[in-house]
Amino acid sequence: MAEPRAKGVTYRTFIKILRKLRGDRVAEATLDLAPAEFTRSFRSGLVFSGNWYPLSWYTDLHRAAQKVTGEGPDLARTMGFEATRDDLSGIYRIFLLVVSPEFVISKAPLLFNTYYDTGTMEVTDATRGRARARWTDCVGFDHNLWLDVQGSCQAGLEAAGACDVVINPLSGAGDGDLRMELEARWR
């Protein structure tokens, strides 16, 4: 089986947001600790938004950023939240003003598979103010990537107008888990 991959935009946005939140020094030190092949490609401008790259590079980036900053796994959730918020700014923001959080969550499975070539996301329940979703067969995911996904879910819901969003993992979401089930609540 081929190694799972993520879209280049994921890596580019990660470094962009890390620079924004923690500064150039932290971003460069994180790149120094990242896999050499990734760092060479990134610094040479050869990580393209639309191309696919090894998912292990993304897990390594999360670990490197935590090591450099001295922060724990909460940084992964923050990175997912801020990256999604950044991705949904601009022209997408206008679209999000006219849709409901329930509509956004119903389209989340399509979005998930534009960023990752491993796993499947399924929305199992979506009603006003509440949704449940399940991810399965997510090879290569670790606790940091699950937290990143949780932060992304929160940001997407907030961008669509949800307030007081609470993301509650129900099962999975640990190191080596191929699955996660979560519940989101909002008003």
Side-chain angles (χ1 to χ4, degrees):
M1 182 177 165
E3 180 176 2
R5 301 172 301 164
K7 273 282 174 76
V9 67
T10 306
Y11 306 91
R12 294 172 59 87
T13 303
F14 184 95
I15 298 299
K16 174 184 171 183
I17 296 301
L18 191 60
R19 278 188 203 290
K20 178 180 166 188
L21 296 178
R22 303 296 186 264
D24 289 337
R25 185 194 63 74
V26 167
E28 290 304 316
T30 298
L31 285 168
D32 289 342
L33 288 178
E37 184 180 0
F38 168 75
T39 300
R40 257 191 321 278
S41 297
F42 187 85
R43 287 183 170 151
S44 299
L46 298 174
V47 174
F48 301 104
S49 293
N51 289 1
W52 293 96
Y53 300 95
L55 184 63
S56 62
W57 288 359
Y58 198 46
T59 59
D60 289 342
L61 272 176
H62 273 289
R63 282 193 294 272
Q66 289 173 16
K67 186 171 185 173
V68 169
T69 63
E71 297 176 51
D74 283 344
L75 179 61
R77 188 175 176 130
T78 299
M79 293 298 294
F81 179 87
E82 294 295 337
T84 299
R85 206 160 97 177
D86 185 75
D87 285 349
L88 295 177
S89 64
I91 193 163
Y92 296 114
R93 183 70 189 133
I94 295 166
F95 171 72
L96 289 169
L97 293 173
V98 297
V99 298
S100 69
E102 296 82 14
F103 178 81
V104 169
I105 200 77
S106 75
K107 300 303 177 196
L110 296 171
L111 289 172
F112 180 77
N113 289 123
T114 63
Y115 289 93
Y116 302 102
D117 77 347
T118 183
T120 305
M121 178 195 179
E122 172 189 12
V123 177
T124 57
D125 181 36
T127 58
R128 187 168 179 84
R130 185 177 86 75
R132 281 185 179 226
R134 179 184 313 126
W135 289 257
T136 55
D137 300 321
C138 294
V139 175
F141 273 57
D142 66 1
H143 185 60
N144 286 325
L145 263 60
W146 290 122
L147 288 170
D148 183 300
V149 168
Q150 291 170 37
S152 295
C153 290
Q154 181 177 349
L157 287 166
E158 287 182 10
C163 298
D164 301 324
V165 176
V166 175
I167 302 291
N168 209 11
L170 302 173
S171 65
D175 282 333
D177 283 339
L178 300 177
R179 61 182 303 281
M180 173 177 70
E181 186 170 358
L182 67 74
E183 180 178 63
R185 291 188 178 271
W186 63 91
R187 62 169 188 82

